[in-house]
C-alpha cells in the first residue's frame, strides 16, 4: 500500500548547529518548521563553555525566531563545550539552570571550531566528568581520534578502542551519546555496550556512502565529519536506525557553512540539512521499507534518553515531490543544502 500522507508525533533534532548572528537568523526557522526541540551545539567562536554563555545564546536563538515570520514554537536545548578546564561547579550550574541539557566533547582539532577542545579526557576532565555522572548530565561525544597518523576513514573505530571503552570503564554510569555514528563498528558498539549509551545518526550517513563525495568530481557539499564511509557501513547504519532499538535516534548534525567556504580550496566540513532533514529521513526509512519505524526514531527515543517528555504536537508529510533548492539565503551570501537540485518524494505539509 502506498501512503499519500504520513503523520507522526512532532520530532526533535538531538544534534544541531545553529551558529550565531546572520547565519542563525537564516537557518533557525528551517529547523523550527520541522522540529519541536533541538540539542544545540556549542562550537561557536568563542565556544559556549559556561551556563551564562549558554543562556545568552539561547536568548539570541529566541530573538532570531521571534524575528522570523511564522516560525512555529521551538525550544533550543542548550549544551556546554567541554574543555580541559571545565570546573565541576559549572556542571552544577548547568544542571540547576534547567536550560543546559548536555556537555559536548570535541577532541581538540577534530572538526570545525574545536581548537579549544579536550586534550586529556580522563586526566584533566575527570572532575567535570565525575560531576556529570553524579548529575545525570549526558556527555555528547564527537567520536574521532585526531592523530594525523590515523587514516581519516579509521578515526571513529580507533576512537572506540582508545577513548570510548576506557572512558566508559572509568565512568560506567556516565550517560553518553555517541554522536553522528558513521560505521558498523560504532553501531555495534552502541548496541552491545552495557550502561546508559545511545547514538545519533544523520540523514547523510543513512542515504550516502563515500562515493557521493567523488561522483563526477569533488562534491564539497557531501563532505562532513566524520566523513561518509563505505556502503557496508551505510547499510549497518540503516539497519540500526530502522531496528526499533531505542539507543539510536535522530540527530541531523545540520552544519551550515556559506557556499564560498564549502566550494573552496580547503572547504569546511558540514552538510546543511536543516531545510529538509525530516524529508531526507523519511526517504531513507521508506527505502528500507521501514517508514513505520520513523516516528519512534525521530520523536520518541531521543526524548526518552534525555528524560524529557515526548512532544504532543503532530507533523504531517505529504507524498508530493520536494525539489531541493539550488541555494538558500544565508546572511549576505547563500548556502547550498545537501542534494541541492534533487527531488525527494515526501514534503512537510504547511
Ligand atoms: O561536519 C561537521 N561539521 N562535523 C562536525 O563535527 C562539526 C560541524 C560544524 O560545526 O560545521
Ligand atoms: Zn555536529
Amino acid at each position: 500500500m502506498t501512503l499519500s500522507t504520513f503523520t507522526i508525533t512532532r520530532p526533535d533534532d538531538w544534534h544541531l548547529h545553529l551558529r550565531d548572528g546572520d547565519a542563525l537568523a537564516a537557518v533557525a526557522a528551517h529547523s523550527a518548521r520541522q522540529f519541536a526541540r533541538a540539542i544545540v551545539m556549542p562550537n561557536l567562536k568563542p565556544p559556549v563553555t559556561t551556563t551564562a554563555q549558554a543562556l545568552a545564546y539561547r536568548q539570541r536563538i529566541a530573538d532570531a525566531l521571534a524575528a522570523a515570520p511564522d516560525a512555529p514554537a521551538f525550544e533550543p536545548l542548550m549544551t556546554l563545550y567541554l574543555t580541559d578546564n571545565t570546573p565541576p561547579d559549572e556542571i552544577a550550574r548547568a544542571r540547576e539552570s534547567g536550560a543546559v541539557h548536555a556537555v559536548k566533547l570535541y577532541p581538540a582539532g577534530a572538526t570545525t571550531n574545536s581548537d579549544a577542545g579536550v586534550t586529556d579526557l580522563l586526566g584533566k576532565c575527570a572532575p567535570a566528568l565525575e560531576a556529570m555522572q553524579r548529575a545525570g548530565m549526558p556527555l555528547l561525544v564527537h567520536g574521532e581520534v585526531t592523530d594525523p597518523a590515523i587514516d581519516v576513514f579509521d578515526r571513529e573505530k580507533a576512537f572506540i578502542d582508545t577513548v570510548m571503552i576506557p572512558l566508559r570503564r572509568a565512568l560506567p554510569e556516565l550517560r553518553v551519546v555517541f554522536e553522528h555514528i558513521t560505521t558498523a563498528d560504532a553501531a555495534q558498539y552502541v548496541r552491545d555496550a552495557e550502561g546508559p549509551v545511545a547514538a545519533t545518526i544523520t540523514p547523510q550517513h543513512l542515504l550516502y556512502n563515500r562515493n557521493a563525495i567523488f561522483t563526477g568530481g569533488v562534491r564539497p557539499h557531501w563532505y562532513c565529519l566524520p566523513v561518509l564511509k563505505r556502503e557496508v557501513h551505510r547499510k549497518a547504519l540503516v539497519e540500526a536506525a530502522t531496528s526499533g532499538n531505542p539507543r539510536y535516534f535522530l540527530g541531523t548534525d545540520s552544519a551550515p557553512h556559506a557556499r564560498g567556504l564549502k566550494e573552496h580550496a580547503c572547504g569546511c566540513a558540514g552538510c546543511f540539512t536543516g531545510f529538509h532533514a525530516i524529508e531526507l529521513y523519511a526517504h531513507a526509512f521508506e527505502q528500507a521499507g521501514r517508514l513505520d519505524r520513523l516516528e519512534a526514531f525521530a520523536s520518541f527515543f531521543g526524548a526518552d534518553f534525555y528524560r524529557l517528555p515526548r512532544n504532543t504536537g503532530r507533523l504531517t508529510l505529504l507524498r508530493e515531490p520536494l525539489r531541493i533548492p539550488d541555494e538558500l539565503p544565508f546572511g549576505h551570501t547563500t548556502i547550498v543544502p545537501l542534494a541541492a537540485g534533487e527531488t525527494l518524494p515526501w514534503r512537510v505539509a504547511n
Side-chain angles (χ1 to χ4, degrees):
M1 186 188 67
T2 332
L3 298 170
S4 60
T5 73
F6 184 61
T7 297
I8 59 172
T9 301
R10 201 163 179 80
D12 299 304
D13 183 350
W14 299 99
H15 183 129
L16 176 64
H17 298 267
L18 284 176
R19 314 299 192 207
D20 215 340
D22 288 352
L24 169 63
V27 300
H30 293 307
S31 287
R33 202 171 45 79
Q34 303 162 67
F35 299 103
R37 299 172 288 198
I39 284 279
V40 179
M41 288 295 123
N43 62 333
L44 304 183
K45 282 184 198 161
V48 178
T49 57
T50 67
T51 304
Q53 288 172 323
L55 293 173
Y57 183 30
R58 187 174 72 149
Q59 187 59 49
R60 295 197 296 280
I61 297 168
D63 294 346
L65 286 164
D70 316 320
F74 179 78
E75 187 185 0
L77 307 170
M78 308 313 293
T79 61
L80 298 187
Y81 185 112
L82 185 68
T83 73
D84 284 344
N85 308 311
T86 302
D89 290 5
E90 197 57 59
I91 304 301
R93 272 191 291 279
R95 172 52 84 214
E96 280 156 27
S97 74
V100 175
H101 293 265
V103 176
K104 178 70 190 264
L105 163 63
Y106 285 106
T111 187
T112 307
N113 302 344
S114 63
D115 305 345
V118 164
T119 65
D120 181 15
L121 183 65
L122 288 181
K124 295 198 173 114
C125 298
L129 294 174
E130 282 157 15
M132 290 170 61
Q133 180 170 249
R134 278 194 303 277
M137 173 75 76
L139 179 70
L140 314 184
V141 174
H142 183 108
E144 288 190 289
V145 296
T146 55
D147 179 351
I150 308 282
D151 190 284
V152 69
F153 291 98
D154 297 335
R155 288 182 188 176
E156 186 172 276
K157 164 99 174 75
F159 185 92
I160 297 171
D161 299 332
T162 62
V163 183
M164 196 62 128
I165 291 173
L167 167 70
R168 302 208 53 269
R169 196 173 293 136
L171 295 141
E173 296 309 316
L174 180 65
R175 305 173 60 69
V176 174
V177 183
F178 198 154
E179 297 285 348
H180 44 54
I181 58 170
T182 64
T183 57
D185 311 273
Q188 189 179 46
Y189 172 78
V190 168
R191 187 192 63 200
D192 297 340
E194 282 175 32
V197 192
T200 54
I201 306 180
T202 77
Q204 64 267 26
H205 292 100
L206 293 176
L207 286 167
Y208 301 105
N209 64 38
R210 64 194 194 177
N211 285 353
I213 310 168
F214 305 107
T215 305
V218 176
R219 300 202 300 170
H221 300 291
W222 273 264
Y223 171 61
C224 66
L225 287 172
V227 70
L228 296 173
K229 303 296 193 299
R230 288 178 178 275
E231 178 66 2
V232 285
H233 296 293
R234 187 193 71 82
K235 284 193 174 132
L237 296 171
V238 170
E239 175 65 33
T242 62
S243 67
N245 184 330
R247 287 189 170 192
Y248 307 109
F249 47 82
L250 184 156
T252 63
D253 199 16
S254 177
H257 293 278
R259 175 169 209 146
L261 294 176
K262 293 284 295 173
E263 299 171 6
H264 192 276
C266 189
C268 294
C271 298
F272 177 59
T273 56
F275 174 77
H276 52 330
I278 197 68
E279 289 102 337
L280 291 165
Y281 281 112
H283 184 40
F285 273 65
E286 188 168 54
Q287 276 183 347
R290 293 257 59 140
L291 199 53
D292 59 316
R293 297 236 167 113
L294 178 65
E295 182 180 40
F297 174 83
S299 315
F300 298 161
F301 297 153
D304 297 351
F305 185 87
Y306 277 87
R307 298 173 169 160
L308 291 169
R310 294 179 179 181
N311 296 320
T312 52
R314 315 285 284 167
L315 183 83
T316 295
L317 295 164
L318 307 177
R319 189 183 295 284
E320 285 177 10
L322 173 68
R323 187 182 180 282
I324 304 167
D326 296 323
E327 58 180 11
L328 290 160
F330 191 65
H332 56 276
T333 172
T334 62
I335 187 166
V336 178
L338 183 71
E342 296 182 20
T343 299
L344 292 170
W346 291 97
R347 68 183 309 148
V348 171
N350 292 322

